[in-house]
Short mmCIF file of all heavy atoms in Angstrom, two decimals:
data_model
loop_
_atom_site.label_atom_id
_atom_site.label_comp_id
_atom_site.label_asym_id
_atom_site.label_seq_id
_atom_site.Cartn_x
_atom_site.Cartn_y
_atom_site.Cartn_z
N SER A 1413 -8.68 -2.61 -14.98
CA SER A 1413 -7.85 -2.15 -16.08
C SER A 1413 -7.27 -3.33 -16.78
O SER A 1413 -7.17 -3.45 -17.95
CB SER A 1413 -6.80 -1.10 -15.65
OG SER A 1413 -5.90 -0.81 -16.79
N ALA A 1414 -6.64 -4.21 -15.94
CA ALA A 1414 -6.02 -5.41 -16.39
C ALA A 1414 -6.92 -6.32 -17.19
O ALA A 1414 -6.63 -6.96 -18.24
CB ALA A 1414 -5.39 -6.21 -15.34
N LEU A 1415 -8.19 -6.41 -16.74
CA LEU A 1415 -9.20 -7.29 -17.35
C LEU A 1415 -9.90 -6.79 -18.59
O LEU A 1415 -10.54 -7.50 -19.40
CB LEU A 1415 -10.25 -7.78 -16.28
CG LEU A 1415 -9.73 -8.53 -15.07
CD1 LEU A 1415 -10.77 -8.91 -14.11
CD2 LEU A 1415 -9.09 -9.93 -15.59
N GLY A 1416 -10.03 -5.42 -18.67
CA GLY A 1416 -10.62 -4.77 -19.74
C GLY A 1416 -11.98 -4.41 -19.44
O GLY A 1416 -12.60 -4.74 -18.38
N ALA A 1417 -12.76 -3.61 -20.31
CA ALA A 1417 -13.91 -2.93 -19.97
C ALA A 1417 -15.04 -3.98 -19.53
O ALA A 1417 -15.70 -3.73 -18.57
CB ALA A 1417 -14.37 -2.19 -21.15
N THR A 1418 -15.12 -5.08 -20.30
CA THR A 1418 -16.24 -6.02 -20.03
C THR A 1418 -16.00 -6.85 -18.72
O THR A 1418 -16.79 -6.81 -17.81
CB THR A 1418 -16.46 -6.90 -21.21
OG1 THR A 1418 -16.77 -6.13 -22.36
CG2 THR A 1418 -17.56 -7.93 -20.91
N ALA A 1419 -14.90 -7.60 -18.77
CA ALA A 1419 -14.55 -8.46 -17.66
C ALA A 1419 -14.20 -7.66 -16.38
O ALA A 1419 -14.47 -8.21 -15.30
CB ALA A 1419 -13.32 -9.37 -17.95
N GLY A 1420 -13.79 -6.45 -16.57
CA GLY A 1420 -13.41 -5.69 -15.39
C GLY A 1420 -14.54 -4.78 -14.92
O GLY A 1420 -14.31 -4.09 -13.80
N ALA A 1421 -15.63 -4.79 -15.48
CA ALA A 1421 -16.70 -3.86 -15.07
C ALA A 1421 -17.11 -4.09 -13.56
O ALA A 1421 -17.38 -3.13 -12.81
CB ALA A 1421 -17.91 -3.97 -15.97
N LYS A 1422 -17.12 -5.27 -13.18
CA LYS A 1422 -17.60 -5.68 -11.84
C LYS A 1422 -16.61 -5.03 -10.82
O LYS A 1422 -17.03 -4.48 -9.78
CB LYS A 1422 -17.48 -7.16 -11.63
CG LYS A 1422 -17.50 -7.67 -10.25
CD LYS A 1422 -17.35 -9.18 -10.17
CE LYS A 1422 -17.20 -9.69 -8.76
NZ LYS A 1422 -17.06 -11.19 -8.68
N TYR A 1423 -15.29 -5.02 -11.10
CA TYR A 1423 -14.32 -4.45 -10.18
C TYR A 1423 -14.23 -2.93 -10.20
O TYR A 1423 -13.99 -2.33 -9.26
CB TYR A 1423 -13.07 -5.14 -10.47
CG TYR A 1423 -13.09 -6.64 -10.39
CD1 TYR A 1423 -13.00 -7.46 -11.52
CD2 TYR A 1423 -13.27 -7.21 -9.21
CE1 TYR A 1423 -13.12 -8.86 -11.44
CE2 TYR A 1423 -13.41 -8.61 -9.10
CZ TYR A 1423 -13.35 -9.44 -10.22
OH TYR A 1423 -13.48 -10.83 -10.08
N ARG A 1424 -14.53 -2.35 -11.40
CA ARG A 1424 -14.55 -0.92 -11.53
C ARG A 1424 -15.78 -0.41 -10.70
O ARG A 1424 -15.59 0.52 -9.92
CB ARG A 1424 -14.81 -0.49 -12.96
CG ARG A 1424 -15.04 1.02 -13.25
CD ARG A 1424 -13.78 1.79 -13.18
NE ARG A 1424 -14.10 3.21 -13.36
CZ ARG A 1424 -13.20 4.01 -13.86
NH1 ARG A 1424 -11.92 3.70 -14.05
NH2 ARG A 1424 -13.60 5.34 -14.02
N ASP A 1425 -16.86 -1.08 -10.70
CA ASP A 1425 -18.06 -0.72 -9.93
C ASP A 1425 -17.81 -0.89 -8.54
O ASP A 1425 -18.14 0.09 -7.75
CB ASP A 1425 -19.26 -1.63 -10.41
CG ASP A 1425 -20.53 -1.33 -9.57
OD1 ASP A 1425 -21.09 -0.21 -9.67
OD2 ASP A 1425 -20.74 -2.14 -8.70
N PHE A 1426 -17.17 -1.90 -8.08
CA PHE A 1426 -16.91 -2.12 -6.62
C PHE A 1426 -15.91 -1.03 -6.12
O PHE A 1426 -16.14 -0.46 -5.11
CB PHE A 1426 -16.25 -3.51 -6.55
CG PHE A 1426 -15.92 -3.75 -5.00
CD1 PHE A 1426 -16.85 -4.04 -4.07
CD2 PHE A 1426 -14.57 -3.76 -4.63
CE1 PHE A 1426 -16.50 -4.29 -2.71
CE2 PHE A 1426 -14.23 -3.91 -3.35
CZ PHE A 1426 -15.20 -4.20 -2.38
N ALA A 1427 -14.95 -0.75 -6.95
CA ALA A 1427 -14.02 0.28 -6.47
C ALA A 1427 -14.80 1.82 -6.40
O ALA A 1427 -14.49 2.40 -5.33
CB ALA A 1427 -12.87 0.54 -7.62
N GLU A 1428 -15.62 1.95 -7.36
CA GLU A 1428 -16.33 3.33 -7.23
C GLU A 1428 -17.25 3.33 -6.05
O GLU A 1428 -17.31 4.39 -5.40
CB GLU A 1428 -17.15 3.50 -8.61
CG GLU A 1428 -16.24 3.82 -9.76
CD GLU A 1428 -16.99 3.90 -11.05
OE1 GLU A 1428 -18.35 3.84 -11.02
OE2 GLU A 1428 -16.42 4.16 -12.19
N ARG A 1429 -17.86 2.31 -5.80
CA ARG A 1429 -18.80 2.25 -4.63
C ARG A 1429 -17.97 2.38 -3.41
O ARG A 1429 -18.47 3.04 -2.39
CB ARG A 1429 -19.70 0.96 -4.70
CG ARG A 1429 -20.76 1.05 -5.75
CD ARG A 1429 -21.81 -0.12 -5.67
NE ARG A 1429 -21.14 -1.42 -5.94
CZ ARG A 1429 -20.96 -2.43 -5.05
NH1 ARG A 1429 -21.42 -2.23 -3.82
NH2 ARG A 1429 -20.48 -3.57 -5.42
N THR A 1430 -16.84 1.72 -3.31
CA THR A 1430 -16.08 1.72 -2.05
C THR A 1430 -15.48 3.11 -1.88
O THR A 1430 -15.57 3.68 -0.76
CB THR A 1430 -14.92 0.69 -2.24
OG1 THR A 1430 -15.44 -0.66 -2.41
CG2 THR A 1430 -13.95 0.76 -0.99
N VAL A 1431 -14.96 3.75 -2.89
CA VAL A 1431 -14.48 5.16 -2.83
C VAL A 1431 -15.56 6.12 -2.34
O VAL A 1431 -15.38 6.89 -1.40
CB VAL A 1431 -13.85 5.66 -4.17
CG1 VAL A 1431 -13.60 7.13 -4.08
CG2 VAL A 1431 -12.59 4.80 -4.43
N ALA A 1432 -16.72 5.91 -2.83
CA ALA A 1432 -17.85 6.76 -2.46
C ALA A 1432 -18.25 6.64 -1.01
O ALA A 1432 -18.44 7.69 -0.29
CB ALA A 1432 -19.07 6.45 -3.39
N LYS A 1433 -18.20 5.42 -0.53
CA LYS A 1433 -18.46 5.24 0.94
C LYS A 1433 -17.26 5.86 1.79
O LYS A 1433 -17.58 6.50 2.83
CB LYS A 1433 -18.55 3.76 1.27
CG LYS A 1433 -18.74 3.47 2.69
CD LYS A 1433 -19.97 4.18 3.25
CE LYS A 1433 -21.31 3.54 2.79
NZ LYS A 1433 -22.40 4.18 3.50
N LEU A 1434 -16.12 5.70 1.38
CA LEU A 1434 -15.00 6.25 2.14
C LEU A 1434 -15.07 7.81 2.24
O LEU A 1434 -14.91 8.43 3.25
CB LEU A 1434 -13.63 5.86 1.63
CG LEU A 1434 -13.26 4.51 1.79
CD1 LEU A 1434 -11.90 4.15 1.04
CD2 LEU A 1434 -13.07 3.98 3.26
N VAL A 1435 -15.49 8.38 1.07
CA VAL A 1435 -15.63 9.85 0.94
C VAL A 1435 -16.77 10.40 1.79
O VAL A 1435 -16.62 11.33 2.50
CB VAL A 1435 -15.68 10.22 -0.41
CG1 VAL A 1435 -16.14 11.74 -0.66
CG2 VAL A 1435 -14.34 10.10 -1.25
N SER A 1436 -17.84 9.69 1.69
CA SER A 1436 -18.99 10.10 2.37
C SER A 1436 -19.03 9.99 3.93
O SER A 1436 -19.57 10.81 4.62
CB SER A 1436 -20.29 9.49 1.88
OG SER A 1436 -20.26 8.14 1.97
N ALA A 1437 -18.43 8.93 4.32
CA ALA A 1437 -18.43 8.58 5.70
C ALA A 1437 -17.20 8.82 6.59
O ALA A 1437 -17.21 8.94 7.82
CB ALA A 1437 -18.75 7.10 5.89
N TYR A 1438 -15.99 8.89 5.85
CA TYR A 1438 -14.82 8.97 6.60
C TYR A 1438 -13.81 10.10 6.20
O TYR A 1438 -12.89 10.41 6.85
CB TYR A 1438 -13.97 7.74 6.41
CG TYR A 1438 -14.66 6.58 7.07
CD1 TYR A 1438 -15.51 5.71 6.44
CD2 TYR A 1438 -14.40 6.17 8.46
CE1 TYR A 1438 -16.18 4.71 7.01
CE2 TYR A 1438 -15.06 5.14 9.08
CZ TYR A 1438 -15.98 4.43 8.44
OH TYR A 1438 -16.65 3.34 9.08
N LEU A 1439 -14.09 10.91 5.11
CA LEU A 1439 -13.26 11.98 4.64
C LEU A 1439 -13.84 13.27 5.32
O LEU A 1439 -15.00 13.68 5.12
CB LEU A 1439 -13.29 12.05 3.19
CG LEU A 1439 -12.12 13.00 2.65
CD1 LEU A 1439 -10.71 12.41 2.78
CD2 LEU A 1439 -12.35 13.12 1.05
N THR A 1440 -12.94 13.88 6.17
CA THR A 1440 -13.42 15.18 6.93
C THR A 1440 -13.77 16.21 5.97
O THR A 1440 -13.22 16.48 5.01
CB THR A 1440 -12.32 15.58 7.88
OG1 THR A 1440 -11.09 15.79 7.13
CG2 THR A 1440 -12.14 14.62 8.97
N PRO A 1441 -14.80 16.96 6.24
CA PRO A 1441 -15.43 17.95 5.30
C PRO A 1441 -14.77 19.32 5.53
O PRO A 1441 -13.97 19.51 6.43
CB PRO A 1441 -16.88 18.01 5.76
CG PRO A 1441 -16.83 17.74 7.20
CD PRO A 1441 -15.75 16.70 7.38
N ILE A 1442 -15.04 20.15 4.64
CA ILE A 1442 -14.62 21.67 4.78
C ILE A 1442 -15.91 22.40 5.30
O ILE A 1442 -16.78 22.91 4.56
CB ILE A 1442 -14.20 22.28 3.57
CG1 ILE A 1442 -12.98 21.47 2.92
CG2 ILE A 1442 -13.80 23.74 3.67
CD1 ILE A 1442 -12.58 21.89 1.53
N VAL A 1443 -16.07 22.49 6.65
CA VAL A 1443 -17.15 23.12 7.19
C VAL A 1443 -16.68 23.91 8.48
O VAL A 1443 -15.94 23.38 9.18
CB VAL A 1443 -18.36 22.24 7.58
CG1 VAL A 1443 -18.99 21.66 6.27
CG2 VAL A 1443 -17.99 21.09 8.50
N PRO A 1444 -17.17 25.14 8.76
CA PRO A 1444 -16.63 25.88 9.92
C PRO A 1444 -16.91 25.20 11.31
O PRO A 1444 -16.08 25.30 12.16
CB PRO A 1444 -17.49 27.15 9.87
CG PRO A 1444 -17.91 27.30 8.41
CD PRO A 1444 -18.12 25.91 8.05
N SER A 1445 -17.93 24.36 11.31
CA SER A 1445 -18.16 23.71 12.55
C SER A 1445 -17.35 22.44 12.90
O SER A 1445 -17.38 21.98 14.00
CB SER A 1445 -19.62 23.18 12.63
OG SER A 1445 -19.86 22.29 11.54
N ASP A 1446 -16.62 22.03 11.94
CA ASP A 1446 -15.66 20.98 12.15
C ASP A 1446 -14.20 21.37 12.25
O ASP A 1446 -13.70 22.03 11.35
CB ASP A 1446 -15.77 19.97 10.96
CG ASP A 1446 -15.11 18.63 11.27
OD1 ASP A 1446 -14.15 18.55 11.97
OD2 ASP A 1446 -15.59 17.61 10.67
N GLU A 1447 -13.65 21.25 13.47
CA GLU A 1447 -12.29 21.80 13.66
C GLU A 1447 -11.17 20.93 13.19
O GLU A 1447 -10.04 21.33 13.20
CB GLU A 1447 -12.19 22.01 15.27
CG GLU A 1447 -13.09 23.07 15.84
CD GLU A 1447 -12.86 23.17 17.29
OE1 GLU A 1447 -12.01 22.56 17.87
OE2 GLU A 1447 -13.50 24.09 17.92
N ARG A 1448 -11.48 19.78 12.70
CA ARG A 1448 -10.49 18.98 12.15
C ARG A 1448 -10.11 19.43 10.77
O ARG A 1448 -10.82 20.02 10.06
CB ARG A 1448 -11.08 17.37 12.00
CG ARG A 1448 -11.41 16.79 13.29
CD ARG A 1448 -12.06 15.52 13.02
NE ARG A 1448 -13.35 15.69 12.23
CZ ARG A 1448 -14.09 14.62 11.77
NH1 ARG A 1448 -13.75 13.47 11.88
NH2 ARG A 1448 -15.13 14.93 11.06
N PRO A 1449 -8.80 19.21 10.36
CA PRO A 1449 -8.43 19.58 8.99
C PRO A 1449 -9.30 18.82 8.01
O PRO A 1449 -9.69 17.72 8.15
CB PRO A 1449 -7.01 19.09 8.99
CG PRO A 1449 -6.53 18.93 10.39
CD PRO A 1449 -7.73 18.61 11.13
N PRO A 1450 -9.71 19.52 6.96
CA PRO A 1450 -10.39 18.88 5.85
C PRO A 1450 -9.51 17.95 5.06
O PRO A 1450 -8.44 18.11 5.06
CB PRO A 1450 -10.95 20.02 5.01
CG PRO A 1450 -9.97 21.13 5.15
CD PRO A 1450 -9.50 20.98 6.62
N GLY A 1451 -10.16 16.94 4.52
CA GLY A 1451 -9.44 15.97 3.68
C GLY A 1451 -8.73 14.85 4.40
O GLY A 1451 -7.89 14.20 3.76
N MET A 1452 -9.01 14.63 5.72
CA MET A 1452 -8.38 13.54 6.42
C MET A 1452 -9.29 12.28 6.08
O MET A 1452 -10.40 12.27 6.33
CB MET A 1452 -8.45 13.82 7.86
CG MET A 1452 -7.51 14.87 8.40
SD MET A 1452 -7.78 15.09 10.18
CE MET A 1452 -7.35 13.45 10.82
N LEU A 1453 -8.53 11.13 5.90
CA LEU A 1453 -9.23 9.87 5.79
C LEU A 1453 -9.12 9.27 7.22
O LEU A 1453 -8.19 8.70 7.61
CB LEU A 1453 -8.61 8.87 4.72
CG LEU A 1453 -9.23 7.54 4.70
CD1 LEU A 1453 -10.71 7.62 4.40
CD2 LEU A 1453 -8.48 6.66 3.77
N THR A 1454 -10.26 9.42 7.96
CA THR A 1454 -10.28 8.93 9.24
C THR A 1454 -10.60 7.39 9.30
O THR A 1454 -10.85 6.76 8.24
CB THR A 1454 -11.33 9.65 10.18
OG1 THR A 1454 -12.62 9.38 9.52
CG2 THR A 1454 -11.08 11.12 10.14
N GLY A 1455 -10.47 6.75 10.48
CA GLY A 1455 -10.95 5.39 10.58
C GLY A 1455 -9.89 4.34 10.24
O GLY A 1455 -10.24 3.22 9.97
#
Side-chain angles (χ1 to χ4, degrees):
S1413 175
L1415 295 176
T1418 301
K1422 164 186 174 181
Y1423 302 108
R1424 173 82 180 201
D1425 174 71
F1426 179 73
E1428 290 179 359
R1429 290 188 291 116
T1430 301
V1431 168
K1433 176 56 68 171
L1434 290 173
V1435 167
S1436 64
Y1438 292 92
L1439 194 67
T1440 54
I1442 302 177
V1443 293
S1445 60
D1446 195 327
E1447 296 182 355
R1448 299 172 299 175
M1452 292 176 61
L1453 178 60
T1454 61

